[in-house]
């Protein structure tokens, strides 16, 4: 077993250092070492997107990235999407559209949606479906997810990314 | 008398009948009276004192969790059906 | 019995609901969009070990020996278990609420012995300090196999010369067992009327054969279990499951401890669709915990999920149907053989009972066979057995319609089952909405629109699913601030906390947000059957309603006591408790509850209720690429009888999700096997489920024909939407290019094959 390495990175805006083995994936370190279990493991080979996180703003499957590779990177996970007071508009729109059933794919979808809207603030339905095709959902049939993304784009166009206080 | 729908695979035990009218105020009594008339049918429906595993009884179209204890009335239809769960 | 007068449930007296039919944010929603919701794989316990499994590389073999000594010697390894560690459970049958299971088969499926019956069959498990050591140790286990020829096709497995999987399997013909070992585990038959007379009366008779491939439920969350076998003999299991009580029973039976020694704690569940009812890992994690003295977590990888769990059967089906000149069905006959996988237990019965269930068939005969093959032991998948069957029956109907020049929608209206229609299995329908769903499609914007362009076609198909009742329990506690805690045992797989909380809120005349629903462990709520059979919103809904009615009675009694009047002078209306001279809102009285006597806790249960059954009719437009055989879904509309839609968004979601699973089944999904019996596409890359780029928006029409068995008229909605899609798409393909598909999936190579066949 190779020696553990120290990795320095920024996670959800916080400077973080952690120890990991070279063979450990980013997903494993997030979940097991850093207790960030919001990224889910659905397939471990980059097919389902449930482990999507943003590395320097780009969506990546964290199961396909070695933890040592994110040295110096800026990492964003589902845990960092909402601000302390309120949900992010994307999260709010997923809830209002009932865009989740079991919820296991939801963190990955929200990260991909966020990345999409950062790139393209008014995507067409086709843009949305193409961009999100790397995230699998087996429950919803995608209809309500696509609508949630459309609503997110609208809400963010009018409101920016200011959080939305939720009642529940 | 209650009407018992004879499961297709047991029809030969019941002289080919699709339905039989048979006395009884509970499914248990109905089964006992069926057996008296058509020997051998009980063991195809029951195991010991219960319905065979995987088998349920529907009275008036409603599957009953009571099995052999389920009461039947004069006009009841009695069906023996496989237990259906689902996904 | 838990069926109540519908009127008593209506809290505002004008026939309209206040909460039911609205779309509140689900109670567990924020946790699920922030990543806080804890699923099975997120469990962490002090000193927890991680486990990995050795799985068979062969599809059919005798296990000659297993040597675990090298694995045990690896530093960091704390326990190894094999089938030898499982107690002998004998040939007993356990009733699991959902169905019966032979415990010896279940035990041998959990850890193989003395044979492996499919590639991926679990053989041994290792618990170690971390997952990497556990995986390394798995590679050090030596197994000596005696290879046997596999049989993968249902018809081949039925032949006398086929390799036999299980020595103990005899054909069960309604309680009578055959004399010799066989792969045909059971034969079922249903008959009605005079089939020969019926065919003689027909003007057109069509007979076709169909094959459908093995497909998987495809839930995104792999199976998982964490277990702690405590020093006092109590076992705690944390797992994502469709049924905690079912897991409790299966674990207790398989490790041979009393039920009371097992507590199952439900974690959030990342999809199931019927595939997370049977146990795979839970008993193994428990045994590893017993051996190691530590909590043990065991998680499947994706390839094992495909190779060793689920799937739903591949099948061979033959349908013959006769229709008279007036377009009425005169006779229908079917033969269905379903692959059970390694051990008996395919959903052949529901397949038989559903195949003609949408229609009034005066003369019918249905034979069904449950057949073992060297594939994973099949499990329920959303309306289990019905989709295969509908593909066959509903495409034969369209061929007959073509021949007679009848509109397929009119045909379905003309023959639709209704109240009083007897199915071929003899049962008479109560109030049902089959015809209503066809009417809804007929008047839909989709059906009314013109479809233009080359290689485009439209198809319709209908489907039926029983929906089951089974048992549920719930309690509800009134809090001093006027909120109510709802405690229930139905694991929430798609928003049922919300649909149950809404029913309780409606019953009490309070807001949905004032109910806090919690899904609790097996020690903390009454027995509740699985989240399956489209039963939770129906049956646990009745339990929640009953708990609410119990609270109402207690609140009335309390108010009467405070006012010093007779209870019959107090009534409960629209969330207000009204006496002769004064009244309390629910909230006001809730505040007084603790100050004036016993806490108020309502309880409810449900067991006797039967659901009336669910019907759906789907309409689809496709475009077929005649060169590539690729089928594109252009437009899709579902009409489904939902009884009463509690939370319409989640009702629509069930319809859309079920339809898209059906689209995957229709067009892409299948297990590819090599001749050696190994699955060649055990990953999401190669077993391709629909992505959002593959499907359009799915239009939904909620038809509401209330089920009189439920206080609010609920019908289960989850399962039936998967039934019509393959048939509807096949009919659309035929309409587009004049090719009748008889095999699933209708993947590009198969479509091209049929096109070339037609053109030559």
């Amino acid at each position: 077993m190779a020696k553990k390495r120290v990795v320095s990175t920024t996670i959800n805006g916080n400077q973080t250092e952690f120890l990991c083995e070279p063979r450990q994936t980013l997903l494993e370190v997030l979940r097991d070492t850093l207790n960030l279990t919001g990224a889910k493991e659905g397939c471990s080979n980059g097919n389902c997107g449930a482990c999507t996180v943003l590395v320097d703003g780009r969506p990546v499957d964290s199961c396909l990235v070695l933890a040592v590779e994110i040295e110096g990177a800026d990492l964003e996970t589902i845990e960092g999407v909402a601000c302390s007071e309120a949900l992010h508009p994307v999260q709010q729109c997923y809830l209002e559209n009932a865009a989740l059933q079991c919820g296991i794919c939801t963190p990955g979808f929200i990260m991909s949606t966020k990345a999409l809207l950062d790139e393209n603030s008014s995507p067409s339905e086709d843009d949305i479906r193409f961009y999100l095709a790397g995230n699998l959902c087996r429950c919803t049939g995608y209809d309500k997810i696509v609508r949630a993304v459309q609503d997110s784009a609208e809400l963010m166009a009018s409101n920016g990314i200011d959080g939305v206080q939720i009642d529940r | 008398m209650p009407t018992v729908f004879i499961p297709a695979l047991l029809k030969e035990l019941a002289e080919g009948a699709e339905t039989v009218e048979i006395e009884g105020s509970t499914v248990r009594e109905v089964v006992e009276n069926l057996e008296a008339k058509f020997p051998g049918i009980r063991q195809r429906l029951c195991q010991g004192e219960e319905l065979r595993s995987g088998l349920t009884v529907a009275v008036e179209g409603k599957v009953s969790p009571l099995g052999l204890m389920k009461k039947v009335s004069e006009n009841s239809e009695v069906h023996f059906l496989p237990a259906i769960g689902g996904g | 019995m838990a069926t109540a007068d519908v009127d008593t449930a209506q809290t505002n007296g004008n026939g309209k609901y206040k909460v039911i039919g609205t779309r509140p944010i689900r109670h567990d929603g924020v946790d699920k969009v922030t990543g806080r919701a804890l699923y099975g794989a997120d469990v962490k316990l002090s000193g927890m070990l991680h486990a990995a499994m050795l799985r068979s590389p062969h599809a059919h073999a005798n296990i000659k020996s297993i040597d675990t000594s090298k694995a045990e010697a690896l530093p960091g390894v704390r326990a190894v278990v094999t089938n030898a560690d499982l107690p002998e459970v004998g040939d007993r049958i356990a009733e699991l609420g959902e169905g019966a299971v032979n415990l010896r088969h279940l035990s041998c499926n959990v850890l193989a012995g003395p044979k492996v019956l499919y590639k991926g069959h679990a053989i041994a498990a290792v618990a170690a300090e971390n997952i990497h050591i556990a995986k390394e140790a798995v590679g050090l286990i030596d197994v000596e196999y005696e290879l046997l020829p596999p049989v993968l096709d249902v018809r081949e497995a039925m032949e006398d010369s086929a390799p036999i999987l299980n020595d103990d399997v005899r054909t069960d013909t309604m309680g009578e067992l055959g004399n010799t070992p066989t792969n045909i585990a059971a034969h079922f038959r249903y008959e009605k009327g005079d089939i020969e007379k019926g065919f003689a009366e027909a003007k057109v008779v069509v007979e076709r054969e169909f094959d459908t491939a093995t497909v998987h439920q495809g839930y995104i969350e792999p199976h998982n279990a964490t277990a702690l076998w405590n020093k006092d003999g109590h076992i705690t299991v944390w797992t994502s499951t469709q049924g905690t009580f079912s897991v409790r029973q299966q674990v207790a039976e398989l490790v041979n401890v009393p039920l009371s020694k097992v507590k199952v704690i439900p974690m959030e569940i990342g999809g199931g669709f019927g595939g997370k009812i049977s146990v795979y890992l839970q008993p193994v994690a428990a045994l590893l915990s017993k051996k190691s003295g530590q909590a043990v977590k065991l998680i499947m990888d994706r390839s094992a999920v495909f190779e060793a769990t689920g799937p739903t059967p591949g099948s061979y089906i033959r349908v013959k149907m006769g229709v008279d000149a007036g377009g009425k069905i005169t006779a229908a006959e079917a033969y269905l053989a379903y692959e059970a996988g390694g051990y008996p237990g395919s959903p052949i019965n529901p397949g038989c009972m559903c195949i003609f269930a949408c229609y009034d068939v005066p003369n019918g005969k249905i034979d069904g066979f449950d057949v073992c093959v060297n594939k994973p032991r099949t499990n329920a998948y959303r309306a289990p057995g019905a989709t295969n069957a509908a593909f066959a029956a509903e495409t034969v109907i369209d061929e007959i319609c073509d021949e007679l020049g009848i509109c397929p929608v009119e045909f379905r209206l003309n023959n639709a089952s209704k109240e009083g229609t007897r199915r071929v299995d003899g049962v008479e329908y109560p109030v049902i909405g089959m015809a209503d769903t066809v009417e809804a499609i007929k008047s839909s914007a989709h059906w009314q629109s013109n479809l233009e362009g080359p290689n485009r076609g439209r198809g319709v198909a209908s489907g039926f699913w029983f929906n089951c009742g089974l048992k549920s329990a719930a309690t509800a506690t009134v809090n001093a601030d006027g909120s109510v805690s709802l405690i229930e045992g139905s694991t929430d797989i798609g928003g049922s906390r919300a649909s149950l909380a809404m029913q309780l809120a409606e019953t009490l005349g309070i807001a949905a947000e004032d109910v806090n629903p919690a899904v609790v462990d097996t020690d903390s709520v009454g027995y509740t059957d699985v989240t399956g059979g489209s039963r939770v919103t129906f049956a646990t809904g009745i339990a929640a309603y009953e708990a609410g009615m119990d609270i109402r009675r207690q609140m009335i009694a309390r108010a009467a006591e405070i006012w010093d009047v007779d209870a019959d002078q107090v009534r409960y209306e629209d969330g207000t408790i009204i006496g002769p001279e004064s009244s309390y809102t629910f909230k006001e009285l809730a505040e007084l509850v603790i100050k004036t006597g016993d806490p108020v806790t309502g309880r409810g249960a449900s067991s006797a209720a039967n659901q009336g059954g669910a019907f759906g009719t789907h309409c689809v437009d496709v475009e077929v690429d005649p060169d590539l055989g690729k089928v594109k879904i252009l437009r899709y509309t579902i009409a489904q009888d939902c009884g009463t839609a509690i939370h319409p968004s989640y009702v629509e979601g069930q319809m859309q999700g079920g339809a898209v699973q059906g689209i995957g089944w229709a067009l892409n999904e299948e297990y590819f096997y090599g001749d050696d019996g190994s699955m060649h596409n055990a990953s999401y890359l190669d077993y391709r489920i629909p992505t959002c780029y593959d499907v359009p928006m799915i239009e939904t029409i909620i038809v509401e024909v209330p089920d009189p068995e439920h206080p609010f008229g609920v019908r289960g909605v989850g399962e039936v939407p998967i039934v019509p899609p393959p048939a509807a798409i096949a009919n659309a393909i035929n309409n587009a290019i004049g090719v009748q598909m008889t095999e699933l999936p209708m993947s590009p190579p198969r479509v091209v094959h049929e096109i070339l066949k037609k053109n030559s």
Side-chain angles (χ1 to χ4, degrees):
Chain A
M1 192 171 61
K3 261 177 70 176
K4 286 197 173 182
R5 311 288 170 88
V6 180
V7 176
S8 305
T9 179
T10 306
I11 301 181
N12 299 326
N14 302 317
Q15 280 283 331
T16 307
E17 281 196 349
F18 59 82
L19 272 176
C20 68
E21 293 172 27
R23 66 179 170 182
Q24 286 185 292
T25 63
L26 173 57
L27 178 61
E28 185 183 344
V29 168
L30 285 174
R31 291 180 52 81
D32 295 350
T33 311
L34 300 172
N35 277 325
L36 296 170
T37 55
K40 302 301 179 191
E41 182 158 24
C43 69
S44 1
N45 54 11
N47 292 324
C48 79
C51 64
T52 304
V53 299
L54 306 186
V55 177
D56 297 328
R58 286 177 52 230
V60 301
D61 292 321
S62 58
C63 70
L64 293 185
V65 177
L66 291 172
V68 291
E69 292 181 88
I70 63 151
E71 171 67 39
D74 185 10
L75 188 67
E76 188 177 350
T77 72
I78 187 69
E79 288 86 353
V81 173
C83 67
S84 58
E85 293 290 305
L87 294 176
H88 187 278
V90 172
Q91 294 170 314
Q92 178 68 16
C93 290
Y94 269 69
L95 281 185
E96 284 175 353
N97 282 277
L100 57 145
Q101 286 177 29
C102 80
I104 195 88
C105 70
T106 308
F109 265 100
I110 288 175
M111 298 316 291
S112 293
T113 302
K114 204 167 169 285
L116 163 66
L117 297 178
D118 286 346
E119 276 177 39
N120 178 356
S121 60
S122 56
S124 66
E125 183 188 333
D126 199 62
D127 291 338
I128 294 169
R129 290 187 181 276
F130 186 77
Y131 199 95
L132 296 181
N135 291 78
L136 298 178
C137 168
R138 190 60 157 172
C139 295
T140 63
Y142 304 107
D143 183 299
K144 292 185 187 303
I145 291 177
V146 173
R147 290 177 202 277
V149 179
Q150 290 170 330
D151 282 6
S152 302
E154 263 182 51
L155 185 57
M156 286 164 71
S158 60
N159 242 23
I161 57 156
D162 287 343
V164 191
Q165 197 94 40
I166 180 162
D167 242 357
R168 249 228 63 68
Chain B
M1 274 189 279
T3 304
V4 179
F5 280 66
I6 305 294
L9 289 168
L10 305 187
K11 277 204 303 201
E12 58 182 36
L13 287 174
E15 294 155 6
E18 197 165 299
T19 61
V20 180
E21 294 202 346
I22 204 118
E23 291 280 358
S25 62
T26 62
V27 175
R28 186 185 308 279
E29 286 176 22
V30 164
V31 170
E32 295 308 333
N33 292 335
L34 263 183
E35 173 69 16
K37 199 165 175 188
F38 306 121
I41 204 164
R42 188 190 191 283
Q43 63 154 358
R44 305 289 289 275
L45 297 171
C46 302
Q47 232 163 357
E49 290 306 301
E50 289 179 19
L51 285 172
R52 275 193 176 277
S53 65
L55 200 63
T56 59
V57 65
V59 176
E60 278 123 46
K62 293 181 182 181
V63 171
S64 173
L66 295 172
L68 295 176
M69 280 154 50
K70 175 70 180 170
K71 289 198 167 44
V72 295
S73 61
E74 275 298 290
N75 302 317
S76 290
E77 274 188 12
V78 180
H79 294 267
F80 295 96
L81 297 168
I84 304 280
Chain C
M1 189 158 126
T3 53
D5 183 350
V6 171
D7 288 331
T8 62
Q10 295 177 353
T11 50
N12 57 0
N14 65 3
K16 286 232 163 99
Y17 299 122
K18 285 177 83 172
V19 177
I20 288 171
T22 64
R23 302 174 186 241
I25 300 285
R26 62 192 281 173
H27 298 70
D28 52 333
V30 170
D31 281 348
K32 284 181 175 157
V33 297
T34 54
R36 285 190 208 291
L38 294 176
Y39 292 75
D42 303 331
V43 174
K44 272 185 192 151
L45 299 169
S46 152
M48 184 174 80
L49 304 175
H50 297 264
M53 259 183 157
L54 174 69
R55 294 181 178 277
S56 170
H58 307 297
H60 197 190
N62 287 318
I63 299 174
K64 306 287 282 180
S65 64
I66 305 176
D67 180 357
T68 59
S69 57
K70 277 185 272 180
E72 281 159 20
L74 186 73
V77 168
R78 305 285 285 277
V80 181
V81 295
T82 67
N83 179 273
D85 295 284
L86 280 166
E88 176 58 49
V89 287
D91 249 328
R92 286 187 305 119
I93 305 291
E95 300 289 344
L96 296 176
E98 259 267 319
V101 65
N102 176 311
L103 285 171
R104 206 166 62 74
H105 291 160
L106 184 64
S107 178
C108 288
N109 194 52
V110 162
L111 283 171
K115 287 179 88 176
V116 291
L117 296 178
Y118 52 90
K119 178 170 182 275
H121 200 153
I123 292 175
V126 179
E129 282 159 19
N130 66 47
I131 188 66
H132 302 286
I133 298 173
K135 283 181 177 171
E136 193 182 336
V138 160
L140 298 175
I141 299 173
D142 287 324
V143 183
E144 195 188 336
Y145 299 97
E146 177 193 9
L147 297 191
L148 300 166
V151 59
L152 298 161
D153 174 79
V154 64
R155 275 178 287 177
E156 284 171 24
M158 293 174 84
E159 285 169 13
D160 288 340
S161 57
I164 301 292
L165 275 74
N166 296 288
D167 287 343
D168 62 339
V169 169
R170 307 283 185 278
T171 305
D172 183 342
T173 310
M174 191 119 199
E176 191 170 73
L177 294 182
N179 295 322
T180 48
T182 171
N183 294 324
I184 305 171
H187 172 208
F188 299 95
R189 173 174 291 169
Y190 302 92
E191 268 178 319
K192 179 186 170 190
D194 182 340
I195 189 87
E196 272 157 36
K197 178 173 144 280
F199 281 120
E201 288 165 5
K203 183 179 178 215
V204 173
V205 175
V206 169
E207 184 171 8
R208 290 282 172 268
E209 290 180 287
F210 300 87
D211 290 283
T212 75
T214 304
V215 297
H216 197 274
Q217 292 80 346
Y219 32 80
I220 308 296
E221 178 204 38
H223 293 257
N224 55 77
T226 304
L228 175 64
W229 193 312
N230 223 335
K231 312 297 177 206
D232 59 5
H234 283 263
I235 302 168
T236 307
V237 178
W238 294 258
T239 189
S240 64
T241 171
Q242 291 178 243
T244 50
F245 287 87
S246 181
V247 169
R248 179 178 74 167
Q249 187 186 351
Q250 292 175 75
V251 169
E253 298 271 16
L254 292 183
V255 306
N256 197 22
V257 299
L259 272 187
S260 59
K261 300 275 189 192
V262 181
K263 174 162 93 172
V264 178
I265 299 178
M267 306 304 295
E268 295 300 334
I269 170 169
F273 314 109
K276 286 185 186 153
I277 294 172
S278 195
V279 295
Y280 297 95
L281 306 178
Q282 296 91 341
V284 180
L287 289 174
L288 286 168
S289 177
K290 186 185 189 188
K291 267 199 170 176
S292 64
Q294 300 293 325
V296 174
K297 176 151 107 178
L298 182 49
I299 296 177
M300 263 191 211
D301 61 28
R302 178 54 52 183
S303 60
V305 172
F306 279 118
E307 288 184 334
T309 74
T312 207
S315 59
Y316 164 76
I317 301 174
R318 201 165 60 230
V319 166
K320 182 179 172 187
M321 189 177 280
V323 175
D324 67 18
K328 281 274 188 191
I329 298 172
T330 59
E333 189 176 5
Y335 172 104
L336 304 92
Y338 280 19
E339 295 170 357
Y343 301 98
S346 75
I348 181 63
N349 259 316
C352 292
M353 293 166 80
C354 287
I355 190 161
F356 301 130
C358 291
Y359 306 104
D360 186 354
V361 172
N363 305 290
K365 184 178 178 200
I366 302 162
D367 280 287
F369 297 88
D370 182 35
V371 184
C372 295
V373 297
N374 291 109
K375 295 182 180 178
R377 169 178 176 260
T378 55
N379 270 295
Y381 178 24
R382 210 166 195 157
T387 304
N388 316 39
F391 173 60
E394 292 285 312
T395 55
V396 165
I397 283 174
D398 263 43
E399 214 178 324
I400 291 172
C401 288
D402 273 353
E403 214 158 309
L404 287 171
I406 304 174
C407 161
V409 165
E410 293 301 335
F411 179 94
R412 285 172 172 83
L413 275 178
N414 197 20
N415 288 281
S417 290
K418 44 187 170 298
E419 185 176 3
T421 301
R422 239 179 238 294
R423 282 200 308 263
V424 176
D425 55 71
V427 172
E428 215 177 87
Y429 280 116
V431 181
I432 50 170
M434 166 62 189
D436 306 68
T437 67
V438 185
E439 285 284 5
I441 286 296
K442 188 180 165 186
S443 53
S444 68
H446 184 172
W447 182 255
Q448 298 290 333
S449 69
N450 286 324
L451 177 64
E452 283 164 3
N455 302 314
R456 291 182 165 192
R458 178 170 295 166
V460 294
S462 297
F464 164 76
W465 181 250
F466 305 91
N467 292 350
C468 63
L470 300 177
K471 298 179 209 307
S472 287
T475 56
T477 306
V478 177
N479 300 312
D481 63 354
S483 67
V484 177
S485 303
L486 171 62
I487 296 153
E488 43 109 355
S490 293
T491 49
D492 183 352
I493 209 157
S496 58
R497 284 183 183 91
S499 72
L500 298 173
M502 288 171 73
Q503 292 181 64
L504 178 59
E506 186 72 50
T507 309
L508 293 174
I510 61 178
E513 291 76 13
D514 286 334
V515 177
N516 291 321
V519 182
V520 297
D521 66 69
T522 49
D523 283 352
S524 308
V525 66
Y527 179 86
T528 299
D529 276 310
V530 298
T531 298
S534 305
R535 62 174 293 280
V536 170
T537 301
F538 176 84
T540 312
I542 292 174
Y545 165 79
E546 291 290 337
M549 295 307 283
D550 194 8
I551 286 177
R552 285 168 56 145
R553 286 189 289 274
Q554 293 178 52
M555 294 292 261
I556 286 173
R558 183 63 54 88
E561 221 176 303
I562 295 170
W563 292 325
D564 195 20
V565 298
D566 283 344
D568 57 14
Q569 291 180 274
V570 181
R571 64 185 204 279
Y572 194 110
E573 202 176 289
D574 202 10
T576 308
I577 300 90
I578 303 166
E581 282 164 14
S582 50
S583 67
Y584 288 124
T585 64
F586 185 84
K587 194 171 176 178
E588 287 165 349
L589 185 56
E591 205 180 323
L592 294 175
V593 159
I594 300 293
K595 299 175 184 162
T596 54
D598 293 349
V600 170
T601 296
R603 73 192 174 112
S606 161
S607 73
N610 281 250
Q611 296 201 56
F615 292 85
T617 300
H618 294 200
C619 179
V620 59
D621 294 349
V622 302
E623 182 175 292
V624 185
D625 183 323
D627 300 316
L628 300 177
K630 188 173 186 312
V631 176
K632 185 174 165 62
I633 307 286
L634 301 173
R635 187 170 183 182
Y636 204 104
T637 303
I638 306 170
Q640 185 179 320
D641 176 14
C642 301
T644 299
I646 300 293
H647 192 309
S649 295
Y650 287 98
V651 170
E652 292 157 5
Q654 288 295 322
M655 292 158 74
Q656 293 162 335
V660 169
Q661 283 187 320
I663 291 170
W665 194 338
L667 296 178
N668 320 309
E669 295 180 33
E670 73 179 299
Y671 277 38
F672 284 103
Y673 279 96
D675 290 339
D676 63 349
S678 60
M679 185 183 177
H680 285 184
N681 60 331
S683 76
Y684 272 139
L685 186 64
D686 300 317
Y687 182 96
R688 195 171 176 284
I689 69 173
T691 72
C692 62
Y693 203 61
D694 297 317
V695 288
M697 294 295 192
I698 309 290
E699 297 164 55
T700 54
I701 303 169
I702 296 177
V703 176
E704 292 185 304
V705 180
D707 189 332
E709 291 277 313
H710 185 282
F712 301 118
V714 166
R715 285 178 201 271
V717 298
E719 292 172 287
V720 78
I722 201 173
V723 180
I729 293 168
N731 290 338
I733 293 171
N734 196 5
N735 184 245
I737 57 167
V739 161
Q740 184 68 56
M741 300 301 296
T742 57
E743 205 174 334
L744 291 183
M746 299 174 284
S747 53
R750 287 205 181 89
V751 173
V752 166
H753 178 83
E754 291 303 315
I755 292 171
L756 293 176
K757 205 164 84 183
K758 183 191 163 210
N759 292 345
S760 61

